[in-house]
Amino acid sequence: MKLKPSVKEAMKQLNIDKLKQNQIEPINAILDKHDTMVIAPTSYGKSLLYQIPAVIQKKKLTVVIEPLLALIHDQVKKLQQRNISAAYLDSTQTHKEQDIVKADLRNRKVQLFYIAPERLETGILSQIEKNNEIGMVVVDECHCVATWGNGFREAYLTIGEHIEGLKKRPVVVALSASIPPENRPQIIEHLSMEKVKTFEMSLYRSNLRFMKRTVSSRKEQLHELKRSLKKYDKSRAIVFCATKHIAESVGEVLEKVYPDDVIIYHSRKKGQEQELLSGKKSIIVATSALSMGVDMRDVDLVIHYNMPLSLPDYYQMAGRAGREGQKARSILLYNPDDYDLNRVLLGDIDDRKVKKTMLNRLDAMKEFCEDSKECMVKTVLQALGDTYDHKCRYCTNCQKER
């Protein structure tokens, strides 16, 4: 498929040498004003799918809704370095900094405007529409609309209402690396998407090796964590934990083993974005919030200290590793007690239908952890709606058969 001249020009501005063939179709769909959903793996380059149309449509404002401040800051910084007028509003800014951004918005000086979903509750879309034509609203990590857990954000559920409140309807773009087929209609409905063009890319990551270890106690769980960190050469590792409290406890233990080389990340930790992205510390202990898009390309080891809530959550977190195509590992530590821990966490859900869905997903996750025969990669990808039907040959279960 040939590139439009406008796309080539935008690529120059973004310092992009070439596009993958399966990136061109979604870009053209967006430029043709189609609501667009893209399911593609981590490292696929989903941000380019909306950034290129945003650069082309300079007279229209693109609003990007992202779940993490660290990701927002990183994206805006990179765009500004390429002389593209990008800005954000968030709680880390001073009143003066916020006033400057608001003035730039009023004067139509911003092309890409990044916000967290909670800021929509201030009526920001209607406010900026007074001075701007909003050409596109991008919802990154759109699986949050249909996911409960540490990554759940209630504000995602009302995004569609805010879009419908605009005088002129923009193009709506939804992006994620993990949307099971049964959740897609729900996401489309909550985002008020119309006549959606959906693009599904294979989620298979050939450079990522999947392993799992069963442990019988918390003591053994910690021992296996330390052993795995020591055994595998790593540029950078992420250790995912089920709760903020567990992340703090595990982080404190690892800090004794790796002094000044551990950072703990969760929603109560403020002002960590620069330290997180700087790469100065090689071990990150985090909750699932970190699974949603922070652009750290040197991670080559992901360890799930606790069992994730679901297979989509598991694959989303594992996908933080190997983003530059380098060989990487995902290690799942399975302690049966984590199943009960997760049932307690899911007990906070009020909606009976949502609770039943999440408990069913948790049961599927438990079955995956305890299964010793089926290829791990094949099982996960099929759960995500991917047609991948081969054995990876390298996961823990496949290795047992070799």
Side-chain angles (χ1 to χ4, degrees):
M1 183 176 291
K2 289 185 178 181
L3 293 174
K4 297 178 181 179
S6 58
V7 172
K8 290 181 180 179
E9 187 59 37
M11 287 171 61
K12 287 181 183 178
Q13 275 193 264
L14 289 162
N15 198 28
I16 303 300
D17 294 327
K18 61 180 179 179
L19 291 172
K20 301 168 188 173
Q21 190 62 38
N22 55 11
Q23 287 177 312
I24 299 172
E25 286 187 73
I27 289 171
N28 286 341
I30 294 168
L31 289 171
D32 291 338
K33 296 182 171 54
H34 291 288
D35 283 0
T36 303
M37 175 179 282
V38 179
I39 302 105
T42 306
S43 77
Y44 166 84
K46 291 187 285 292
S47 60
L48 289 177
L49 304 184
Y50 67 82
Q51 288 177 354
I52 287 175
V55 170
I56 292 171
Q57 301 172 131
K58 294 180 180 180
K59 293 183 179 180
K60 297 180 181 180
L61 179 67
T62 293
V63 177
V64 185
I65 299 167
E66 295 276 10
L68 288 182
L69 298 187
L71 178 58
I72 288 174
H73 297 171
D74 189 47
Q75 291 276 9
V76 170
K77 180 182 178 181
K78 288 179 178 176
L79 288 167
Q80 290 176 344
Q81 288 172 344
R82 293 171 173 80
N83 295 316
I84 294 168
S85 54
Y88 62 83
L89 275 179
D90 69 34
S91 58
T92 68
Q93 294 168 309
T94 64
H95 289 301
K96 184 177 180 180
E97 288 171 333
Q98 291 189 13
D99 288 341
I100 291 171
V101 173
K102 291 175 182 177
D104 285 343
L105 285 166
R106 285 194 299 272
N107 294 320
R108 301 172 65 94
K109 292 182 178 180
V110 180
Q111 285 178 256
L112 289 106
F113 178 54
Y114 286 74
I115 52 173
E118 288 77 12
R119 189 157 290 270
L120 293 172
E121 304 300 326
T122 66
I124 187 73
L125 286 188
S126 297
Q127 293 169 26
I128 60 180
E129 190 185 31
K130 294 175 182 176
N131 302 99
N132 299 268
E133 179 182 351
I134 300 176
M136 182 175 18
V137 173
V138 180
V139 184
D140 199 10
E141 310 295 351
C142 66
H143 59 271
C144 292
V145 172
T147 301
W148 195 93
N150 286 331
F152 177 72
R153 304 282 281 277
E154 190 172 356
Y156 267 89
L157 301 178
T158 60
I159 291 174
E161 295 175 18
H162 296 290
I163 292 172
E164 288 180 351
L166 296 172
K167 293 178 181 178
K168 187 174 180 181
R169 193 181 181 282
V171 172
V172 182
V173 178
L175 309 170
S176 179
S178 57
I179 314 176
E182 65 270 20
N183 289 140
R184 294 169 197 177
Q186 180 185 356
I187 292 170
I188 288 169
E189 179 183 354
H190 276 297
L191 298 182
S192 297
M193 300 178 78
E194 299 177 359
K195 298 178 181 178
V196 182
K197 282 203 169 188
T198 301
F199 298 90
E200 298 179 57
M201 317 306 169
S202 174
L203 300 176
Y204 175 58
R205 297 274 303 280
S206 62
N207 64 317
L208 194 51
R209 302 287 184 259
F210 288 83
M211 295 177 280
K212 58 183 174 183
R213 308 276 188 269
T214 300
V215 296
S216 58
S217 66
R218 294 300 180 197
K219 183 178 180 180
E220 186 182 355
Q221 202 164 355
L222 270 175
H223 173 76
E224 188 62 36
L225 170 63
K226 289 186 280 189
R227 190 185 77 84
S228 297
L229 286 169
K230 183 179 180 180
K231 179 177 180 180
Y232 297 106
D233 291 334
K234 63 187 183 306
S235 171
R236 216 169 185 204
I238 301 176
V239 179
F240 282 112
C241 300
T243 67
K244 301 178 186 71
H245 174 72
I246 295 174
E248 291 281 354
S249 299
V250 170
E252 288 174 8
V253 171
L254 293 181
E255 281 173 342
K256 295 176 183 177
V257 182
Y258 302 95
D260 299 319
D261 203 22
V262 177
I263 182 171
I264 302 169
Y265 184 91
H266 55 68
S267 60
R268 291 179 187 167
K269 293 278 187 176
K270 302 295 184 182
Q272 289 182 305
E273 286 76 18
Q274 292 306 314
E275 186 178 11
L276 188 68
L277 295 169
S278 68
K280 293 179 180 178
K281 296 190 177 183
S282 66
I283 300 173
I284 303 163
V285 183
T287 58
S288 63
L290 191 66
S291 70
M292 296 186 290
V294 176
D295 192 14
M296 296 180 294
R297 297 185 172 270
D298 57 348
V299 175
D300 48 22
L301 177 64
V302 165
I303 300 176
H304 296 84
Y305 181 76
N306 300 110
M307 180 180 76
L309 288 168
S310 68
L311 288 169
D313 284 349
Y314 168 62
Y315 201 64
Q316 181 84 14
M317 287 184 256
R320 291 297 99 206
R323 291 190 49 146
E324 286 287 359
Q326 74 271 32
K327 289 183 180 180
R329 291 181 175 86
S330 169
I331 302 174
L332 170 60
L333 305 182
Y334 173 55
N335 183 335
D337 289 346
D338 285 337
Y339 175 76
D340 296 323
L341 169 65
N342 283 336
R343 284 189 66 91
V344 171
L345 294 175
L346 295 175
D348 292 336
I349 303 175
D350 294 324
D351 189 304
R352 288 186 179 182
K353 187 176 179 180
V354 174
K355 181 183 284 189
K356 183 179 179 181
T357 298
M358 292 306 301
L359 287 172
N360 287 340
R361 288 187 182 180
L362 181 61
D363 287 341
M365 188 71 223
K366 181 175 185 286
E367 186 177 335
F368 171 84
C369 291
E370 295 177 348
D371 175 38
S372 61
K373 295 182 179 179
E374 288 295 325
C375 170
M376 294 171 67
V377 175
K378 181 179 176 180
T379 300
V380 175
L381 293 182
Q382 288 183 343
L384 290 169
D386 199 308
T387 56
Y388 185 84
D389 58 2
H390 304 287
K391 292 187 176 182
C392 75
R393 300 189 300 130
Y394 298 105
C395 72
T396 296
N397 289 352
C398 285
Q399 284 291 318
K400 287 179 182 177
E401 295 185 358
R402 295 182 71 174

